């Protein structure tokens, strides 16, 4: 039974959206020196209030494109000393690696009057998924609607910053410190119907600038090409048709010999400000044109991991180890872990389950797994750790109340050692809970 539980952490085929436990948008994908692919998205906070409350960037990584590791939170608005006093508005970010350091770029307003005071903030770390410290913002760029930074580093190690919104896309060279600019910023010429979401990559000597257009209701992702990183650009058309969501935002990256398009949709929530990140392969013509991406829900096989996976010690706590529960029935069910589950875990029943003495390992950084079945499209529970609210977590349709195939996971900080209290409170939908696990993320 334990193997059945663990197989959910090691799936064979892709699913879109590929991050389902929390809502994420605006994925910026990069391959770093350890050979893994990392995605830096923004985080739609549930319940949403437009895009106002967006905060708390999490990073995700993979070695096989199918099994994703939530690397945890790297920054939130309360870490930004120059930021908007009431926070929120941590919109589409990007990350760059240069001379041994990781630079995380994010748009954030400095004043309550948010749309007039956008700045491009920078946080720096020696590691790709932790230790980021705010180091101010890029002087001389930003202003009204100026969002969505993307950094491209050319083969000669010269870095370029792109950003924009409100119909204007701009680009500028960055100095070696990756925080100050060189020369005047330039308006990107030749784009058609630019809206937002700049991203630049290079393939076979051609520079590509991708962005979202103003297509009414649901944006397209479009692109333009050039033989110079700052243009002028030749508009080439759409490579990602509307995803159904009222915004569109993507990145394009090569990983282990295949090019991939990352984007977001609202397939999970059907709410335009509770978005979820997706990927699909992208192909090019012999002339270097981007073919329109086929948007899938599932089915791309996992790549061989080739020793690139990262796993820590794992401890499982079946429902029999819960120290308290209420508002749900403990029932014997053949397929459940240890043949026990908590049935009818729902808001209507005021259901709560508590696990005490949960291991935070050496540093308290753990990936919490929740194993469940649900007949509902999108069930949710509230996670409290040591009495504090942490997040609302999604549990998506698994087939039926006894199809024990559901797995939600979320990386967080708790206390080191074995004295943590995890509380799950039903928030919507009807769930059969079978176990939780913690994985040591202290490395
Ligand atoms: O996620 C907030 C904003 O919505 C982004 O900055 C835009 O690109 C759009 O996706």
């Amino acid at each position: 039974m334990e193997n059945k539980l663990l197989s959910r952490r090691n799936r064979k085929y892709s699913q879109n959206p590929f991050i389902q436990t929390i809502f994420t948008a605006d994925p910026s994908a990069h391959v770093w020196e350890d050979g893994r692919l990392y995605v830096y998205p923004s985080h739609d906070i549930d319940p949403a209030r437009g895009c106002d409350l967006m905060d708390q960037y999490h990073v995700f990584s993979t070695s096989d494109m199918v099994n994703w590791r939530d690397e945890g939170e790297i920054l939130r608005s309360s870490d930004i000393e120059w930021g908007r006093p009431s926070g929120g508005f941590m919109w589409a970010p990007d990350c760059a690696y240069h001379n041994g350091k990781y630079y995380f770029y994010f748009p954030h307003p400095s004043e309550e009057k948010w749309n007039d005071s956008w700045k491009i903030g920078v946080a720096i770390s020696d590691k790709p998924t932790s230790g980021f410290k705010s180091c101010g913002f890029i002087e001389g760029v930003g202003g009204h609607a100026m969002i969505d930074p993307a950094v491209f580093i050319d083969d000669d190690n010269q870095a370029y910053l792109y950003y924009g919104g409100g119909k204007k896309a701009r680009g500028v060279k960055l100095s070696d410190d990756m925080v100050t600019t060189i020369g005047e910023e330039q308006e990107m010429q030749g784009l058609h119907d630019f809206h937002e979401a700049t991203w630049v990559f290079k393939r076979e000597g051609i520079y590509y600038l991708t962005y979202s257009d103003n297509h009414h209701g649901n944006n397209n992702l479009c692109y333009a090409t050039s033989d110079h990183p700052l243009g002028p650009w030749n508009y080439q058309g759409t490579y990602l048709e509307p995803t159904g969501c009222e915004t569109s935002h993507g990145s394009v990256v090569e990983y282990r010999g295949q090019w991939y398009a990352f984007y977001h949709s609202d397939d999970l929530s059907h709410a335009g400000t509770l978005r979820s990140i997706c990927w699909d392969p992208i192909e090019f013509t012999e002339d270097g044109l981007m073919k329109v991406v086929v948007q899938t829900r599932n089915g791309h096989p996992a790549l061989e991991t080739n020793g690139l996976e990262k796993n820590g010690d794992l401890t499982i706590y079946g429902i029999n180890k819960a120290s308290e529960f209420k508002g749900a029935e403990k029932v014997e069910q053949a397929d459940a872990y240890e043949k026990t589950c908590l049935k009818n875990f729902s808001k209507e029943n005021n259901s709560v389950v508590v696990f005490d003495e949960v291991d935070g390992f050496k540093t308290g950084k753990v990936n919490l797994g929740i194993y469940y079945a649900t007949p509902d499209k999108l069930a949710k529970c509230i996670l409290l750790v040591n009495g504090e609210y942490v997040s609302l977590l999604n549990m998506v349709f698994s087939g039926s109340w006894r199809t024990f195939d559901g797995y939600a996971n979320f990386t967080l900080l708790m206390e080191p050692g074995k004295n943590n209290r995890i509380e799950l409170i039903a928030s919507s939908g009807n769930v059969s809970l079978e176990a939780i696990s913690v994985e040591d993320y202290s490395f």
Side-chain angles (χ1 to χ4, degrees):
M1 202 48 77
E2 183 163 315
N3 283 347
K4 190 165 173 257
L5 207 68
L6 298 183
S7 67
R8 291 176 229 174
R9 308 166 61 88
N10 191 16
R11 305 232 183 225
K12 302 268 183 287
Y13 292 95
S14 66
Q15 57 180 0
N16 271 331
F18 65 90
I19 301 300
Q20 302 198 342
T21 306
I22 57 173
F23 292 107
T24 52
D26 310 321
S28 290
H30 291 278
V31 180
W32 298 141
E33 286 194 321
D34 63 0
R36 292 175 65 83
L37 186 147
Y38 290 81
V39 177
Y40 296 79
S42 50
H43 179 10
D44 283 343
I45 302 293
D46 186 11
R49 193 182 69 210
C51 288
D52 303 15
L53 304 177
M54 291 175 68
D55 214 315
Q56 303 151 24
Y57 296 110
H58 276 233
V59 185
F60 302 88
S61 77
T62 187
S63 59
D64 65 8
M65 295 302 292
V66 168
N67 295 290
W68 290 85
R69 186 179 147 98
D70 175 1
E71 300 278 1
E73 179 184 319
I74 57 165
L75 201 72
R76 56 170 64 194
S77 61
S78 54
D79 299 331
I80 309 307
E81 64 295 346
W82 52 265
R84 183 172 183 263
S86 55
F89 293 92
M90 298 292 267
W91 284 10
D94 192 18
C95 190
Y97 175 72
H98 184 68
N99 293 348
K101 289 202 185 309
Y102 294 87
Y103 296 84
F104 183 70
Y105 298 89
F106 55 95
H108 182 63
S110 55
E111 291 161 31
E112 284 305 309
K113 214 170 157 212
W114 55 275
N115 207 23
D116 286 332
S117 65
W118 287 102
K119 309 234 169 340
I120 307 299
V122 190
I124 307 180
S125 176
D126 295 334
K127 294 175 284 223
T129 60
S130 61
F132 282 94
K133 293 273 175 303
S134 164
C135 72
F137 55 83
I138 301 185
E139 299 280 353
V141 304
H144 180 78
M146 288 289 118
I147 57 174
D148 295 359
V151 170
F152 164 72
I153 302 187
D154 209 343
D155 303 331
D156 59 3
N157 218 17
Q158 174 62 55
Y160 298 85
L161 167 73
Y162 305 84
Y163 69 108
K167 305 199 171 166
K168 286 194 175 61
R170 295 181 180 153
V172 65
K173 269 186 184 178
L174 284 176
S175 2
D176 219 34
D177 65 12
M178 298 293 277
V179 180
T180 50
T181 55
I182 303 176
E184 290 288 298
E185 60 175 6
Q186 297 175 32
E187 198 137 335
M188 296 296 93
Q189 303 293 340
L191 309 182
H192 170 70
D193 199 24
F194 175 83
H195 180 50
E196 57 191 11
T198 47
W199 177 261
V200 171
F201 68 96
K202 188 179 188 180
R203 180 183 175 274
E204 295 182 359
I206 302 174
Y207 298 89
Y208 295 76
L209 192 161
T210 67
Y211 61 94
S212 76
D213 71 4
N214 293 290
H215 182 66
H216 184 64
N218 309 114
N219 312 135
N220 292 296
L221 287 183
C222 304
Y223 76 107
T225 55
S226 178
D227 53 12
H228 189 275
L230 291 173
W233 299 92
N234 298 310
Y235 176 71
Q236 303 287 8
T238 294
Y239 77 92
L240 188 92
E241 287 171 345
T243 63
C245 184
E246 62 206 43
T247 59
S248 201
H249 191 122
S251 61
V252 178
V253 70
E254 186 181 20
Y255 186 50
R256 299 173 62 186
Q258 171 67 51
W259 286 84
Y260 295 97
F262 284 81
Y263 57 95
H264 63 227
S265 76
D266 62 6
D267 282 0
L268 213 56
S269 69
H270 298 296
T273 47
L274 288 177
R275 299 163 292 179
S276 301
I277 52 179
C278 303
W279 67 263
D280 273 299
I282 181 161
E283 307 295 339
F284 292 79
T285 67
E286 280 184 9
D287 300 331
L289 300 179
M290 296 167 78
K291 294 190 183 174
V292 173
V293 172
V294 178
Q295 297 177 31
T296 67
R297 293 304 308 270
N298 49 44
H300 298 298
L303 306 179
E304 294 292 325
T305 50
N306 290 354
L308 296 169
E309 61 271 41
K310 273 165 93 181
N311 296 312
D313 290 344
L314 185 81
T315 309
I316 300 169
Y317 304 83
I319 282 303
N320 291 328
K321 298 228 175 67
S323 36
E324 290 169 41
F325 68 89
K326 63 171 194 185
E329 298 160 66
K330 194 164 159 183
V331 296
E332 298 296 301
Q333 188 60 39
D335 270 358
Y337 180 67
E338 294 179 333
K339 297 198 176 7
T340 311
C341 76
L342 264 193
K343 195 181 168 200
N344 290 331
F345 188 85
S346 67
K347 185 168 182 178
E348 290 67 37
N349 291 338
N350 296 315
S351 308
V352 179
V353 61
V354 180
F355 294 84
D356 281 311
E357 299 179 359
V358 176
D359 203 347
F361 301 96
K362 281 190 230 89
T363 61
K365 186 169 179 182
V366 302
N367 181 255
L368 171 73
I370 304 173
Y371 304 80
Y372 63 88
T374 179
D376 290 315
K377 183 164 188 295
L378 185 55
K380 298 180 190 186
C381 70
I382 296 165
L383 168 66
L384 302 190
V385 177
N386 298 328
E388 301 278 327
Y389 174 87
V390 176
S391 184
L392 199 55
L393 303 181
N394 298 330
M395 291 177 284
V396 300
F397 177 69
S398 71
S400 74
W401 73 268
R402 58 182 181 180
T403 309
F404 290 99
D405 196 33
Y407 173 57
N409 75 100
F410 182 83
T411 294
L412 67 144
L413 282 178
M414 47 173 82
E415 294 299 319
K418 294 189 179 167
N419 206 13
N420 291 283
R421 183 177 173 94
I422 299 281
E423 255 168 284
L424 301 177
I425 303 172
S427 172
S428 63
N430 193 308
V431 175
S432 307
L433 280 178
E434 52 178 340
I436 65 165
S437 67
V438 281
E439 181 179 353
D440 180 6
Y441 265 29
S442 57
F443 55 92

